[in-house]
Amino acid sequence: MRLILSTLAVAASALAAQPAAAQEGEPSTGGLPQVEVKRDYTPLTAERLNEMVPKHPGYLGALAPENLNKPRPPAPIDLTGTWFIDLKEGFAHYLFGPPYPYFYEGGREALIEAPKYAARNETYRDAIGQCFPPGMPMIMTRVWPHAFIQLPTAIYMISGFNNSVRTIYLDGREFSDPDLVVPSYNGESIGHFEGKTLVVKTKYFETDNHWIDHGIPISDEFEMTERIDLLDGGKVMQIEYIMTDPQNWRGEWRSTKRFNRQDYTDINESHCILAYNENLPGTDLGKEAAEERGESKVEGVADDE
């Protein structure tokens, strides 16, 4: 009897190990067996979990409820909305110059070389086409909408161009320790209100392949101040940019831009995928692909037409 029961148990176990028969309409399994996955988990201590979270000791995060709920005067303006750069004066108006400041070697080289490349229908310092972030201030010149979400402690800006995220802190914090901060393409931004004008100072920029206009470089001394106002009953956002970089130009580089509120659009998911840039003739990869197809470098028109 025991032998019979043992044999039945083995048979039942073998049947249980077999994958269930596919039901009609299900995708094929390709004849592959169902793999039983087992993992060993090692619990982490509370101390280790605490160490893993990046923190800035001494002040609360912008989204901490205790910070959001602190008593503070209401903001005099609210930038929440979706904004699109005003190009009514022409497409090239998105650039930050001219007028330009008194450039040193790097800026002068860019202004000389960029037109030469353009005359050959070639791109100059195509960092964006190589999926480097545009960074501030160039991200604001992309012809895509920008979403601003204003909270009592911070303004979150999301660009439709490549989902670039920028945070402007409004909770009264100081800039990070320069010996500890990690530079970024949008920099670290801290704002305060002067009347109804939001004044934002930004520094700690990543400089690798980070250009302004047509390849004008910045250094680790680059800093930017923005004076932001709402005009026309909140339908227009005006930003005055005041940029300094003692390694690359003399004094202040100023430029003022306007952005129109756009209530019938949203920000979608967007990523820069290098291989896909072969389809964009305005990039280095796209130019090469167009040439191989016998097309012009930018316009996509056959060279012999």
Side-chain angles (χ1 to χ4, degrees):
M1 178 63 71
R2 290 180 179 177
L3 178 60
I4 294 174
L5 291 175
S6 177
T7 302
L8 290 173
V10 170
S13 177
L15 288 172
Q18 293 179 0
Q23 298 183 9
E24 185 177 354
E26 282 188 331
S28 169
T29 65
L32 298 174
Q34 179 71 24
V35 177
E36 183 179 359
V37 178
K38 294 183 178 180
R39 303 187 193 279
D40 294 326
Y41 295 98
T42 303
L44 299 179
T45 65
E47 292 77 10
R48 178 58 182 144
L49 287 171
N50 187 58
E51 291 173 353
M52 293 175 66
V53 181
K55 297 185 181 68
H56 30 64
Y59 55 93
L60 293 164
L63 296 180
E66 183 180 346
N67 198 2
L68 288 166
N69 295 326
K70 281 184 178 180
R72 50 174 59 91
I77 59 173
D78 188 347
L79 300 180
T80 297
T82 306
W83 304 90
F84 194 88
I85 190 167
D86 187 346
L87 296 174
K88 65 176 178 291
E89 295 184 27
F91 188 79
H93 189 65
Y94 71 85
L95 297 170
F96 285 91
Y100 285 116
Y102 182 93
F103 283 125
Y104 301 129
E105 181 178 359
R108 294 184 180 206
E109 177 185 5
L111 292 184
I112 292 171
E113 293 300 318
K116 295 179 181 178
Y117 278 69
R120 300 193 298 266
N121 286 328
E122 296 177 359
T123 57
Y124 179 66
R125 293 181 170 173
D126 182 35
I128 295 175
Q130 303 302 312
C131 290
F132 283 93
M136 286 294 296
M138 279 292 284
I139 189 64
M140 300 304 294
T141 67
R142 303 302 89 186
V143 188
W144 291 63
H146 305 277
F148 282 67
I149 305 164
Q150 183 168 328
L151 301 175
T153 54
I155 296 173
Y156 293 90
M157 187 194 88
I158 305 172
S159 169
F161 178 69
N162 64 350
N163 292 163
S164 168
V165 176
R166 181 193 184 197
T167 306
I168 301 172
Y169 294 105
L170 303 175
D171 55 1
R173 69 182 65 191
E174 300 292 332
F175 279 102
S176 298
D177 185 332
D179 294 327
L180 300 177
V181 71
V182 177
S184 61
Y185 284 87
N186 287 333
E188 183 175 278
S189 300
I190 294 179
H192 69 277
F193 289 98
E194 296 180 1
K196 292 187 177 181
T197 299
L198 174 61
V199 181
V200 182
K201 185 172 183 179
T202 307
K203 57 183 181 178
Y204 301 144
F205 287 93
E206 171 60 58
T207 61
D208 181 34
N209 279 278
H210 191 166
W211 317 109
I212 303 177
D213 284 2
H214 296 304
I216 297 169
I218 65 170
S219 76
D220 56 7
E221 293 188 62
F222 175 69
E223 295 187 3
M224 178 177 66
T225 298
E226 297 157 278
R227 299 184 62 85
I228 305 176
D229 294 287
L230 289 182
L231 310 176
D232 193 17
K235 296 179 182 179
V236 175
M237 177 172 63
Q238 177 174 282
I239 306 180
E240 179 187 14
Y241 296 90
I242 307 166
M243 301 178 286
T244 60
D245 187 341
Q247 292 190 37
N248 282 297
W249 58 82
R250 180 192 296 166
E252 297 177 341
W253 177 356
R254 290 176 174 259
S255 181
T256 299
K257 301 198 177 303
R258 290 188 174 185
F259 302 82
N260 298 318
R261 184 184 293 276
Q262 299 292 340
D263 290 337
Y264 290 87
T265 188
D266 288 297
I267 301 300
N268 296 318
E269 181 180 359
S270 177
H271 303 283
C272 185
I273 300 174
L274 195 59
Y276 291 176
N277 286 354
E278 291 185 356
N279 300 315
L280 300 176
T283 66
D284 286 343
L285 286 176
K287 173 179 67 67
E288 294 172 2
E291 289 174 341
E292 291 176 359
R293 293 193 299 265
E295 297 175 351
S296 70
K297 300 176 180 62
V298 175
E299 298 297 335
V301 179
D303 289 337
D304 57 357
E305 290 184 5

